[in-house]
């Protein structure tokens, strides 16, 4: 205290014996003292630097501005030194005034400033001098403005230094920019190094770097200088990796399972999460407590400040202590809240990653019954919705209990200030709280119903997107679109109900402080427990403001926690579901036996609860190296027996043993999106020789050579840009390359033509796999004679087993299959005559030709582009700052300018009235004779009116949001359904789904209220600054400079944050896609023993997604911390000037008003900045949805002026006139000028190699792709002149890949509801399904699961046949329609088609030559050209291409079958 007193005496000596902090002399002396402190630290740092390392002080010759400013500083220094020396020599004022010393010190300060401008030194010194220049300029500017304000003049001697101060400020900003650039160079070195280096930057930062979030500076600096890309993002730290999080969770889960046994399995996920993350959340809880105490203490500080201003005598020491308490309180609040927010979300990210990985790992182990209970869509939802929700769970959890604590502490503060008068106020507070509870329940119910509706819509969209080709071929767009719109309508109903309820909650939130404060004031007046002065009034208002946050937030927090609980339960149920039992199949090394597979007394059932098993009494022993064929009619259990060997079907009894490794080729091709090479290697190391042999054995070499990118060609999602045959051969090549011991092949030849099937059987099965054990399920009878043993299945049993000759002699079931095949090739033999002799020659001749692949010839998927562009491109994202264009798009598309204007108007009125109510209290409490009723009544009226306006603000915000949701949702759905087929071939489903789910959810919920909150934050901030400036106008200088700095920081932050959000929008979809892809191919993954590899790949995707979440949150906290620091400086400045105000200059009421607004300034600025940045980030979703609203459309469904007659086509005559097709404007031709006529009522067979243009011809007929030139006429009408719906509704097709939709048998056969049950039963009878469906309990209402997985592939194809039997159009297209059914069933169906469509034009694309041999005409395509078009008998009579194809087929059949007929 003695030193402080000495210092004060020094000040009085300088300023003529007066100690008045309001005097200009004292204020200027304080500035000089601060400059001396900076000067001392500056020279000390220079000295330390010179001791540690020799430093040359040189002038930056390139920086002329610094030199000019330095010269100006030197001139001012000379001026001050001259005046000081003159005063000293002339003894002006005597030694006691010390004016000469002041002038000399100022000269020393200015010469030091001149030196600081010329010194090149370290970064700490540069930061110090920059802060020095800024603080000196600000303080001097405030002083001069105050002088101007009070005296209306300024000394000439002060003008020139003030101008140089402004130049110093400019130089300081240049220094800060230069430091940013240095950070960029650091960023370059850090981010370009290896992953470990990045992790060190994030994880091993020092305490102060973590406290200030400075460790993220390099990334933000790089993002400020140029747009960030995914390559710029550092890898996630080791302690945050998903694998570590999962391992911790898995260990806790296992221990809980062991402890609890099978009885106690409720809430296991929650308990495991709690066990793992309890300690780190306890630390977060401590921070939450500190923040809550700091917030609750602010009203008490306000109370102390107002009382201080009311004191008659001045006590500056007490004021300084109060200011110190305010500084400590705000710093503690800021730092603890930032650490709480960041750490809670970091903890949530770890929980999220752990559960995402746990769900993925579980689906790799899920049993068949479990997979029936949890569809692919369900599993994706567990990851995308339930696990994702955990990212915010810890934050909401800590918010809930800390808000309760804040509420009780605020009530305590209220009682300490107003005593018993607060008791009355707790009653309306409790009522408002209780009113929130049912309100929150209603909101929660709406949210739950909304989420259920959203799940249904997303599941339907996913199914539609996966099957869009069949929807377009059948012209079902309107039906499925109306289905989606209906689901969205139901979803929208709950959304609108929820959004229109929220304004009532907002009104309750704002009216409750008014009611409570009015009653508290009334209680004070009645009980006299506290005086109605400024201290009481504004402390009560400040306390109620801190109480209103819990009242508003708690219901929402509880609602979120309820949703989290539901998610925990859903994940808990999934993780506890049945897993594949490891004892289903006993695995042994190959060397231990000469056997490969044995099944003893095996009984298996897909549904163990059903009495009749799927497979019965299976006895099987397969020797090593044997080739076993499994055949039988549709639904006999052929695929199920392979599943039994894989352990996929539940075993009821018996034993299954497998010796050696397994490779499996599924009946429905499972291809991963990615490169062809990666699909074949399948995680195995590259062996060039082995790889080449595999692709040649599978007849892929010619296909690969014809791709622009070879085997690096990208395959679209689910292999959409590959033909069925190519997908099957890639699968087969994958199995061959794997070099397993046992091969399970499920009908791999159904999707390829006869020649290719023969090549695959001979070169692959019999040659490449010569020494391997092969179990082949097939309908191709022609290959059976070459296998070692044949298993004939019927009704789930092996009815016959033996060699080809043995079974043929035994007769029965096998004889029926062979007879059906014999009938078909007998007709073939009749036509072929003696053509068999040349078959070997022609086969050899044709096999040496390079046939174009589907990428050249088939339109739905042209990979071969004009410049070798891959089909699936990286997702398109905007780059850089696009300004307010997305916002204007949002408002203009939704036509919401009126609502936006009303929102701004209502918010402005609310802010004006809220400030007016506070001003009324500030002025009215100073009026001596005013009554309490008048004081409280006017205040209540104004505040209530303001709450009415805030209700309208929220109400109009809900209207704006709902209009936008409806407009964007409708636009997106319309655009998707009108998009051409090429869009779906080249766009992964995940990209569309993320826009329909997460992006749409942001439009539904986040953007409308972000707009409202940005308007609220901006107007409240202006009102706050105005209220503060009304008392201490000097604070405007600091506030304006702070706002400029905040604006700069926000722009600096947004440069990186915007790109982080955009990149994050592209990292979530791959996680979902990968999970969906894995779910569809989990049997193949398990068969190849690739579970660990897929698990590791999933970890990488989850880590990438988590990194973006982590960095986005860190960047936000970086921003908020800096904004808080700047605005806290404004608050401290306001409080400091209040302390310096002379007594009686300002009324206590106005002091209370100023300080109450000052204390809320930081939170107001943070609120405004946070929501502003959130809004800009949310608007990225508008960008993304709008991208898909502008997809080029296919031609219109109906052209009103050119509709065909209702009876068209009358005959079914099809004329192709110089038809040329290309898939893109500058792509090569795929069909090259085809001209021919399909006469009415004829059966036309279309044949050709894989990729010859067969499917493209069908696409052209249905206008999936538009002709480049030429015409297609049906009964004289150009199909391009009419609408797509009018065309496609008149054509029928059975596609190559049979498609069923989730629903019932009835809805799959008759989606449009046009036919009666009798008609449906008749169709089922004709397509051989009536008996099967009659046996089902629900008959036509029996369920069809996702993609028809509960029906065999052959049965699905029969369903597709049933559809066309119902439609009975004049033109029928069969695109490999019977590829997956046996020859006997095929013969029956061909007969039915001949009978039912005898007067129709039937176009048959087939791989089985017998399927087209009895056609009236045969069309032969090659390289997109028409080689031949004539009757089969005429073509067979000449040396035609068709005769060569028949010869090849005859050659293979002749060896295998004909010899047995003779």
């Amino acid at each position: 205290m003695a030193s402080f007193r000495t210092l004060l005496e020094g000040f009085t000596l300088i300023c003529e014996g007066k100690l008045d902090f309001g005097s200009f002399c004292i204020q200027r002396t304080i500035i000089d003292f601060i400059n001396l402190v900076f000067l001392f630290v500056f020279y000390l740092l220079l000295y330390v630097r010179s001791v540690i390392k020799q430093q040359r002080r040189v002038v930056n010759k390139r920086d002329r501005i610094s030199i000019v400013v330095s010269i100006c500083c030197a001139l001012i220094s000379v001026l001050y030194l001259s005046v000081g020396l003159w005063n000293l020599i002339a003894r002006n004022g005597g030694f006691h005034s010390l004016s000469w010393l002041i002038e000399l010190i100022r000269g020393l300060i200015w010469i030091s400033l001149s030196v600081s401008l010329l010194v090149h030194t370290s970064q700490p010194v540069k930061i110090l001098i920059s802060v020095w220049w800024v603080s000196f300029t600000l303080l001097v500017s405030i002083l001069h403005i105050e002088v101007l304000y009070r005296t209306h003049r300024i000394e000439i001697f002060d003008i020139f230094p003030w101008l140089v101060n402004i130049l110093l400020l400019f130089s300081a900003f240049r220094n800060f920019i230069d430091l940013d650039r240095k950070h960029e160079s650091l960023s370059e070195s850090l981010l370009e190094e290896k992953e470990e280096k990045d992790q060190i930057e994030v994880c091993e930062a020092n305490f102060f770097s973590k406290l200030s979030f400075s460790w993220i500076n390099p990334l933000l600096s790089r993002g400020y200088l140029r747009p960030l890309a995914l390559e710029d993002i550092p890898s996630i730290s080791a302690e945050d990796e998903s694998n570590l999080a999962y391992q911790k969770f898995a260990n806790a889960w296992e221990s809980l399972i062991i402890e609890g046994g099978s009885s106690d399995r409720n809430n296991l996920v929650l308990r495991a999460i709690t066990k793992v993350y309890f300690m780190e959340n306890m630390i977060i809880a401590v921070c939450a407590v500190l923040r809550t105490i700091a917030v609750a203490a602010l009203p008490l500080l306000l109370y102390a400040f107002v009382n201080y201003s009311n004191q008659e005598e001045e006590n500056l020491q007490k004021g300084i202590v109060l200011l110190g308490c305010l500084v400590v309180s705000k710093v503690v609040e800021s730092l603890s809240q930032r650490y709480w927010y960041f750490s809670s979300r970091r903890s949530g990210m770890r929980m999220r990653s752990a559960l995402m990985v746990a769900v993925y790992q579980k689906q790799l182990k899920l049993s068949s019954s479990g997979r029936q209970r949890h569809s692919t869509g369900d599993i994706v939802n567990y990851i995308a919705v339930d696990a994702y929700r955990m990212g915010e769970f810890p934050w909401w959890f800590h918010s809930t209990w800390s808000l309760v604590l804040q509420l009780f502490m605020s009530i305590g503060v209220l009682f300490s200030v107003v005593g018993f008068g607060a008791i009355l106020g707790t009653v309306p507070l409790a009522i408002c709280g209780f009113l929130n509870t049912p309100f929150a329940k209603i909101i929660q119910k709406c949210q739950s119903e909304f989420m259920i509706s959203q799940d249904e819509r997303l599941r339907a969209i996913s199914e539609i997107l996966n099957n869009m080709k069949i929807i377009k071929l059948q012209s079902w767009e309107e039906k499925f679109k109306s289905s989606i719109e209906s689901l969205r309508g139901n979803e929208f109903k709950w959304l609108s109900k929820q959004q229109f309820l929220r304004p009532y909650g907002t009104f309750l939130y704002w009216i409750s402080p008014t009611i409570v404060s009015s009653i508290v004031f009334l209680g004070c007046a009645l009980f006299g427990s506290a005086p109605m002065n400024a201290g009481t009034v504004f402390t009560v208002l400040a306390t109620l403001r801190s109480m209103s946050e819990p009242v508003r937030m708690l219901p929402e927090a509880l609602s979120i926690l309820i949703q989290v609980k539901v998610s925990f339960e859903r994940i808990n149920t999934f993780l506890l579901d049945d897993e594949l039992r490891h004892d289903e199949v006993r695995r042994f090394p190959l060397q231990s036996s000469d056997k490969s597979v044995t099944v003893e007394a095996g009984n298996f059932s897909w549904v163990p609860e059903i009495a009749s098993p799927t497979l019965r009494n299976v006895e099987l022993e397969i020797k090593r190296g044997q080739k076993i064929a499994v055949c039988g009619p549709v639904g006999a259990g052929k695929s199920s027996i392979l599943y039994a060997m894989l352990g996929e079907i539940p075993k009821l009894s018996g034993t299954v043993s497998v010796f050696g490794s397994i490779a499996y080729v599924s009946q429905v091709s499972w291809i991963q999106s990615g490169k062809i090479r990666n699909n074949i290697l399948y995680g195995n190391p590259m062996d060039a020789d082995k790889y080449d042999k595999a692709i040649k054995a599978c007849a892929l070499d010619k296909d690969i050579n014809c791709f622009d990118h070879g085997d690096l060609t990208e395959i679209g999602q689910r292999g959409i840009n590959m033909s069925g045959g190519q997908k099957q051969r890639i699968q087969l090549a994958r199995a061959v390359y794997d070099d397993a011991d046992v091969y399970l092949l499920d009908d791999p030849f159904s999707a390829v033509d006869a020649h290719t099937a023969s090549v695959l059987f001979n070169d692959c099965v019999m040659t490449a796999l010569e020494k391997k054990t092969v179990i082949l399920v097939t309908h191709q009878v022609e290959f059976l004679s070459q296998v070692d043993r044949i298993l004939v299945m019927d009704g789930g049993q092996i009815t016959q087993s033996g060699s080809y000759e043995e079974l043929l002699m035994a007769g029965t079931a096998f004889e029926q299959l062979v007879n059906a095949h014999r009938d078909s090739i007998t007709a073939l033999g009749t036509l072929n005559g003696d053509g068999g002799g040349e078959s070997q020659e022609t086969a050899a001749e044709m096999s040496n030709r390079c046939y174009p692949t589907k990428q050249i010839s088939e339109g739905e998927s042209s990979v071969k582009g004009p410049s070798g562009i891959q089909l699936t491109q990286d997702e398109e994202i905007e780059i850089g700052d696009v300004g307010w264009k997305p916002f204007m798009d949002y408002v203009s598309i939704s036509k919401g300018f009126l609502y936006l204007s009303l929102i701004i108007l209502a918010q402005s009125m609310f802010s004006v009235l809220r400030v007016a109510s506070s001003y009324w209290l500030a002025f009215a409490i100073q009026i001596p004779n005013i009554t309490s009723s008048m004081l409280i009544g006017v205040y209540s009226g104004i505040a209530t009116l303001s709450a009415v306006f805030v209700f309208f603000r929220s109400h109009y915000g809900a209207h704006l949001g709902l209009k936008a949701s409806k407009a964007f949702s409708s636009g997106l759905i319309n655009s998707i359904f009108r998009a051409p087929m090429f869009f779906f071939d080249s766009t992964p489903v995940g990209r569309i789904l993320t826009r329909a789910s997460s992006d749409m959810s942001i439009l539904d919920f986040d953007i409308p209220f972000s707009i409202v909150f940005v308007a609220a934050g901006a107007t409240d901030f202006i009102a706050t600054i105005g209220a503060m400036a009304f008392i201490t106008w000097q604070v405007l200088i600091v506030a304006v400079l702070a706002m400029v700095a905040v604006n700069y920081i926000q722009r600096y932050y947004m440069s990186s944050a915007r790109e982080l959000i955009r990149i994050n929008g592209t990292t979530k979809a791959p996680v979902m896609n990968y999970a969906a892809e894995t779910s569809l191919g989990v049997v193949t993954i398990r068969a190849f023993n690739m579970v660990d590899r897929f698990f590791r790949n999933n970890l990488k995707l989850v880590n990438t997604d988590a990194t973006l979440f982590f960095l986005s949150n860190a960047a936000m906290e970086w921003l908020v911390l800096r904004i808080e620091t700047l605005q806290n400086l404004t608050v401290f400045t306001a409080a400091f000037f209040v302390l310096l105000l002379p007594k009686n200059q300002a009324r206590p009421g106005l002091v209370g008003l100023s300080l109450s607004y000052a204390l809320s300034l930081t939170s107001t600025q943070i609120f405004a900045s946070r929501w502003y940045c959130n809004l800009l980030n949310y608007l990225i979703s508008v960008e993304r949805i709008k991208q898909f609203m502008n997809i080029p459309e296919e031609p219109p469904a109906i052209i009103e002026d050119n509709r065909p007659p209702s009876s068209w086509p009358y005959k079914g005559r099809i004329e192709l006139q110089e038809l040329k097709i290309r898939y893109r404007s500058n792509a090569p031709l795929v069909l090259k000028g085809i001209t021919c006529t399909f006469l009415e009522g004829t059966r036309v067979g279309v044949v050709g190699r894989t990729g010859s243009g067969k499917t493209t011809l069908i696409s052209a007929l249905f206008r999936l792709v538009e002709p480049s030139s030429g015409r297609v006429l049906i009964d004289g009408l150009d199909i391009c002149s009419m609408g797509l719906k009018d065309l496609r509704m008149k054509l029928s097709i059975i596609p190559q890949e049979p498609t069923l939709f989730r629903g019932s048998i009835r809805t799959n056969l008759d989606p449009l509801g046009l036919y009666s049950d009798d008609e449906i039963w008749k169709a089922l009878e004709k397509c051989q399904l009536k008996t099967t469906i009659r046996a089902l309990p629900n008959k036509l209402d029996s369920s069809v699961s996702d993609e028809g997985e509960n029906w065999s592939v052959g049965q699905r194809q029969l369903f597709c046949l049933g559809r066309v039997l119902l439609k009975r159009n004049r033109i029928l297209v069969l695109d490999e329609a019977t590829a997956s059914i046996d020859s006997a069933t095929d013969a029956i169906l061909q007969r039915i088609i001949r009978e039912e469509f005898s007067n129709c034009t039937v176009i048959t694309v087939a791989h089985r030559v017998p399927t087209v041999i009895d056609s009236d005409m045969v069309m032969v395509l090659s390289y997109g050209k028409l080689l031949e078009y004539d009757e089969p008998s005429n073509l067979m009579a000449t040396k035609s291409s068709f005769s060569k194809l028949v010869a090849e087929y005859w050659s293979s059949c002749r060896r295998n079958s004909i010899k047995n007929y003779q």
Side-chain angles (χ1 to χ4, degrees), residues 293-353:
I293 293 171
V295 169
L298 286 178
L300 292 176
L301 283 171
L302 173 63
Y303 187 69
F305 266 105
V306 176
N307 286 342
Y308 172 82
S309 68
N310 274 334
Q311 291 177 354
E312 293 296 329
E313 57 184 43
E314 198 170 280
N315 186 347
L316 187 62
Q317 186 176 352
K318 181 181 178 182
I320 297 295
V321 170
L322 284 176
L323 182 61
C325 290
L326 176 63
V327 171
V328 170
S329 177
K330 295 298 285 184
V331 169
V332 169
E333 178 194 355
S334 178
L335 293 178
S336 60
Q337 188 173 30
R338 298 286 64 77
Y339 185 82
W340 162 25
Y341 279 29
F342 174 69
S343 298
S344 61
R345 289 191 169 98
R346 189 179 191 183
S347 180
M349 177 195 71
R350 292 170 178 168
M351 295 178 192
R352 185 183 86 172
S353 296

Side-chain angles (χ1 to χ4, degrees), residues 59 103 270 344 408 900 904 1361:
V59 173
E103 305 299 341
L270 178 59
S344 61
F408 282 106
L900 180 63
I904 296 170
L1361 178 62

Side-chain angles (χ1 to χ4, degrees), residues 929-1106:
N929 299 323
I930 192 167
T931 62
S932 298
S933 58
M934 173 66 78
L935 176 73
I936 298 167
V938 173
Y939 164 73
S940 301
I942 298 172
T944 302
L945 187 59
S946 72
V948 171
F949 277 103
V950 87
F951 169 82
F952 284 120
R953 179 201 73 185
S954 297
H955 183 72
Y956 294 139
H959 269 292
L960 175 62
L962 291 171
K963 282 197 74 174
S965 290
K966 186 174 286 188
F968 277 89
S969 175
S970 176
L972 180 63
I973 292 170
N974 287 333
S975 181
I976 293 299
F977 276 95
R978 290 174 184 167
M981 197 60 219
F982 180 75
F983 169 77
F984 300 99
D985 296 337
S986 58
T987 307
V989 169
R991 288 187 193 172
I992 306 174
L993 279 177
T994 50
R995 284 163 173 81
S997 56
S998 53
D999 288 322
M1000 202 67 234
S1001 184
I1002 286 173
L1003 260 77
D1004 287 340
F1005 292 103
D1006 298 325
I1007 293 181
F1009 289 101
S1010 295
I1011 293 171
V1012 169
F1013 291 154
V1014 167
T1019 53
D1020 286 349
F1021 181 75
I1022 294 168
T1024 302
I1025 294 294
M1028 292 165 61
F1030 189 79
I1031 306 303
T1032 51
W1033 64 266
Q1034 296 91 338
V1035 82
L1036 271 178
I1037 300 166
V1038 180
V1040 169
L1041 291 170
M1043 281 193 289
V1044 171
V1046 165
N1047 182 54
Y1048 171 76
I1049 291 171
Q1050 278 187 175
R1051 285 190 290 108
Y1052 184 86
Y1053 157 81
M1054 280 307 303
S1055 300
S1056 300
R1058 187 188 305 110
E1059 302 307 320
L1060 289 174
I1061 296 294
R1062 284 173 176 158
I1063 296 168
N1064 197 19
T1066 66
T1067 59
K1068 183 178 178 181
V1071 179
M1072 308 308 121
N1073 283 339
Y1074 201 72
E1077 211 167 49
T1078 302
S1079 179
L1080 293 171
V1082 69
V1083 174
T1084 303
I1085 294 167
R1086 292 196 287 230
F1088 279 88
N1089 199 24
M1090 285 291 170
V1091 169
D1092 290 340
R1093 184 176 76 85
F1094 275 78
F1095 180 71
R1096 288 193 300 272
N1097 290 344
N1098 182 65
L1099 288 178
K1100 292 175 184 175
L1101 294 173
V1102 173
N1103 281 339
T1104 303
D1105 191 44

